[in-house]
Amino acid sequence: MVSVTPKVPVILLYTLQNTFPKVQQRPNSTLATKIISLVNQGQSRKGLLLFNQLQSFEVRVTGFLLTAVLKCCARLEALNEGKQTHCVIFKYGFNKDLILMTSLMDMYFKSRSVCEARNVFDEMTERDVIAVNGMISGLCRCNLTSEAVQIFEKDVGSWNSLISGLGQNMEGLGALNFFRIMRSEGMKIDLTTMVSVLSVSADLAALVNGQQVHCLVIKHGFEMYLPIGNATVDMYAKSGCINDALLCFNNITSRNVVSWTSLILGLGKHGLGYEALRAFDQMEMEGVVPNNVTFLGVLYACSHARLVEQGLEVFNKMIYKYSFNPMMEHYTCMVDLLGRAGKLEEARVFIEKMPVNPDVKLLTAFLSSCFSFMNVELTRKVGEKLLELQPDDAGAYILLSNFYGLVGDLEGVAKVRRLMSSRGIRKEKACTWIEIRGKVYVFESGDRSHLLHKEIYSYLEELIKKMKKIGYVPNLSLVVQNVDDQRKEEILLGHSEKLAIVFGLLSTPPGSMITIVKNLRICIDCHAATAFISKIAGREIVARDSSRFHRFKDGLCSCGNHW
């Protein structure tokens, strides 16, 4: 049995509070279309309010109308209202409607109600490909990939859903493996397959895999499709090949806002602020209207290139020319822009004048800038506010603890660590991966599971000796464990970034570029060490972390040591 019963005769969705004027009776298909339009405009709450108001009229309930309401519930993750809609589905006998039941299952998944979603799926008297693929996608979204594999059916739709779901669930290696199996079993590859695998390759920065998929795109004649072109631009940009991304972008004959936004985001991640601004100007000249994500990309690019005046100009253009209401992400970019430029007081005033309260990400960005410029007073104040606002965010604790360590405040370090322990907070495990000849290798800190781990540590120790002779000093303040200096150096030695880079040095020809990807921000010590390694080894090293790309060459980094 499902977890709700059809006992509620009407839906009480939300209390209507001066949101809509009274409306006259109209065809229900028009009402459903209106509600779906509100969902697409990001106004799902208004869609629910509109439906609530219409309950006082004699409006015929149809599956189409209820599907529109479920879309609102799914977007808002409004579980209670979704359950009430489930009751109405039973009341009016729509529980045999496959499309409607699939939408109901999707709503439960998006509301993190896995058991209810399973019940809906199990009670479907008939299931089509869409229902099965919806179940696979939902299970992957809820981190239940093993269960998704169990209901997997070997048609192209299920393959695509599984590959896409695994990729979105940060299981890109599994997604690529299923793609290889799909090909080995002779399954037909379609446009959706190509876009999904390109997206997974982009997230992993798996360049060789991405290049192989690009070849398949050309082989199957998909290169002229716009989604493929956009995905290819994104893949090369995220794999550190911004020039190849530009070539793919220039080959797109009819570029849309997604094309331009992918390019601008890529340029920004590579620290090419002026180039991103030029692309934005060209986009406007060609009559393509930017969206919220486009502006995020431009502001991000300005932030990482410290283009304060240009960033302010873009922010004002977004508001006054295009009439966009800034989202929290835009405000975060502006605070980051000011903070990276050392304008901490201006950033503080900007936050105070914002029409909304700052969220965790914004305060974290500000805290990072205060930390970088060693503003003790602001760092303490913002850090304490952040811990108060988000007591279960591990990143804030680690950043504040590292700061106290740098300024020699051991009592502050101990206090933060005690808080973490008492609240059960654990730092996300850092890992770094590198692709060698089409295979992705993952390293964790202190990792000794690799077959070449003895060679890796031995070569790394030799490098450290050479680095120290030309100025490298291990940043022991980053190690908060109560151990002696020699042990602290050993801990720093085993950081995942260093292990991946050394494995790359051992596994690739001299002079070739090395690309690594880290799931978190690259640490201060690894950043300094990588610069020295690039000089000693004569290699260009590209490191993609959770924030941006770092290009190390001849002992220097493209970020200017501020990221």
Side-chain angles (χ1 to χ4, degrees), residues 17-241:
Q17 295 178 341
N18 301 320
T19 306
F20 291 100
K22 288 294 180 180
V23 295
Q24 301 299 317
Q25 184 174 351
R26 65 185 80 177
N28 59 354
S29 61
T30 305
L31 295 174
T33 302
K34 174 62 177 175
I35 292 172
I36 290 173
S37 176
L38 288 169
V39 173
N40 292 336
Q41 295 170 21
Q43 301 183 60
S44 299
R45 190 173 300 279
K46 286 187 178 180
L48 286 181
L49 288 167
L50 174 61
F51 184 66
N52 181 53
Q53 181 184 6
L54 293 173
Q55 298 311 293
S56 59
F57 295 85
E58 294 183 1
V59 176
R60 186 168 63 90
V61 176
T62 66
F64 185 36
L65 182 57
L66 291 175
T67 299
V69 175
L70 285 172
K71 284 183 179 292
C72 293
C73 297
R75 285 287 180 89
L76 294 170
E77 299 182 11
L79 180 59
N80 290 336
E81 290 76 15
K83 285 184 175 180
Q84 291 169 11
T85 308
H86 191 169
C87 294
V88 175
I89 288 171
F90 269 86
K91 175 184 176 182
Y92 288 98
F94 289 115
N95 53 308
K96 305 295 183 182
D97 186 325
L98 190 56
I99 295 175
L100 183 57
M101 297 305 287
T102 302
S103 296
L104 179 63
M105 183 177 69
D106 180 66
M107 181 279 299
Y108 278 128
F109 271 127
K110 288 179 178 173
S111 301
R112 296 288 172 177
S113 296
V114 179
C115 290
E116 286 84 351
R118 280 201 192 102
N119 287 335
V120 172
F121 182 76
D122 291 341
E123 294 191 359
M124 288 182 182
T125 54
E126 296 181 6
R127 297 173 189 154
D128 62 4
V129 173
I130 296 175
V132 173
N133 294 345
M135 187 66 177
I136 291 172
S137 298
L139 289 170
C140 287
R141 191 184 303 122
C142 295
N143 301 321
L144 298 169
T145 50
S146 59
E147 294 185 27
V149 172
Q150 290 175 7
I151 66 165
F152 167 67
E153 296 180 3
K154 292 188 176 183
D155 60 78
V156 66
S158 290
W159 282 105
N160 290 342
S161 295
L162 190 58
I163 290 169
S164 176
L166 288 168
Q168 293 170 7
N169 199 41
M170 303 300 290
E171 295 185 41
L173 295 178
L176 291 180
N177 185 52
F178 269 98
F179 176 62
R180 294 187 190 99
I181 297 172
M182 179 183 183
R183 290 191 63 205
S184 69
E185 295 191 1
M187 287 297 302
K188 181 182 177 182
I189 295 172
D190 63 11
L191 186 67
T192 304
T193 313
M194 296 288 92
V195 171
S196 295
V197 180
L198 283 169
S199 177
V200 170
S201 300
D203 290 338
L204 288 174
L207 179 59
V208 174
N209 277 284
Q211 289 171 327
Q212 291 171 349
V213 177
H214 193 186
C215 290
L216 286 173
V217 163
I218 297 171
K219 176 182 177 181
H220 289 276
F222 292 135
E223 69 268 23
M224 298 308 294
Y225 288 90
L226 185 57
I228 288 288
N230 294 341
T232 307
V233 171
D234 186 54
M235 184 275 293
Y236 279 115
K238 288 182 177 177
S239 299
C241 300

Side-chain angles (χ1 to χ4, degrees), residues 317-531:
K317 180 181 284 188
M318 177 182 70
I319 297 171
Y320 299 111
K321 179 178 178 179
Y322 290 99
S323 301
F324 280 115
N325 290 322
M327 300 185 300
M328 186 61 72
E329 291 86 349
H330 296 114
Y331 288 121
T332 301
C333 275
M334 290 305 298
V335 170
D336 196 45
L337 171 68
L338 295 167
R340 286 176 184 277
K343 298 179 180 294
L344 301 180
E345 182 58 24
E346 289 90 332
R348 185 190 65 78
V349 172
F350 182 89
I351 294 171
E352 289 180 351
K353 291 184 176 180
M354 282 167 39
V356 292
N357 292 325
D359 69 355
V360 171
K361 288 184 178 179
L362 186 148
L363 289 176
T364 301
F366 188 37
L367 177 63
S368 180
S369 293
C370 295
F371 183 175
S372 295
F373 288 96
M374 300 302 291
N375 187 311
V376 177
E377 182 180 351
L378 273 178
T379 300
R380 292 183 190 277
K381 184 176 180 181
V382 177
E384 290 172 2
K385 174 67 176 176
L386 193 54
L387 295 186
E388 177 186 332
L389 184 66
Q390 189 77 0
D392 57 351
D393 178 35
Y397 291 90
I398 300 302
L399 195 59
L400 197 56
S401 174
N402 288 345
F403 172 76
Y404 285 140
L406 280 176
V407 298
D409 186 352
L410 298 182
E411 184 179 342
V413 172
K415 179 181 177 182
V416 173
R417 293 289 166 168
R418 283 196 299 270
L419 273 175
M420 289 184 70
S421 177
S422 64
R423 295 173 178 177
I425 307 298
R426 292 186 178 181
K427 179 184 177 182
E428 181 181 353
K429 185 175 291 187
C431 65
T432 303
W433 56 92
I434 182 171
E435 183 187 24
I436 304 292
R437 291 183 286 277
K439 184 175 180 180
V440 178
Y441 297 85
V442 182
F443 292 87
E444 296 179 357
S445 292
D447 202 335
R448 293 184 181 271
S449 61
H450 195 279
L451 291 176
L452 297 178
H453 73 271
K454 291 182 179 178
E455 291 87 342
I456 290 171
Y457 277 93
S458 176
Y459 187 30
L460 183 52
E461 288 172 1
E462 291 179 18
L463 278 175
I464 295 294
K465 291 177 183 177
K466 294 178 182 179
M467 289 157 54
K468 286 182 176 180
K469 289 180 180 179
I470 60 173
Y472 168 68
V473 179
N475 196 329
L476 302 183
S477 64
L478 295 176
V479 182
V480 296
Q481 290 95 321
N482 186 21
V483 293
D484 60 33
D485 286 355
Q486 183 178 349
R487 178 54 185 150
K488 288 183 178 181
E489 283 200 36
E490 291 173 358
I491 292 172
L492 290 176
L493 184 77
H495 277 197
S496 62
E497 300 99 305
K498 297 186 182 79
L499 299 179
I501 289 170
V502 170
F503 177 61
L505 291 173
L506 291 171
S507 307
T508 56
S512 60
M513 185 177 76
I514 294 173
T515 301
I516 64 167
V517 183
K518 187 181 179 183
N519 63 329
L520 306 175
R521 288 182 67 183
I522 188 170
C523 89
I524 296 172
D525 183 73
C526 286
H527 189 274
T530 305

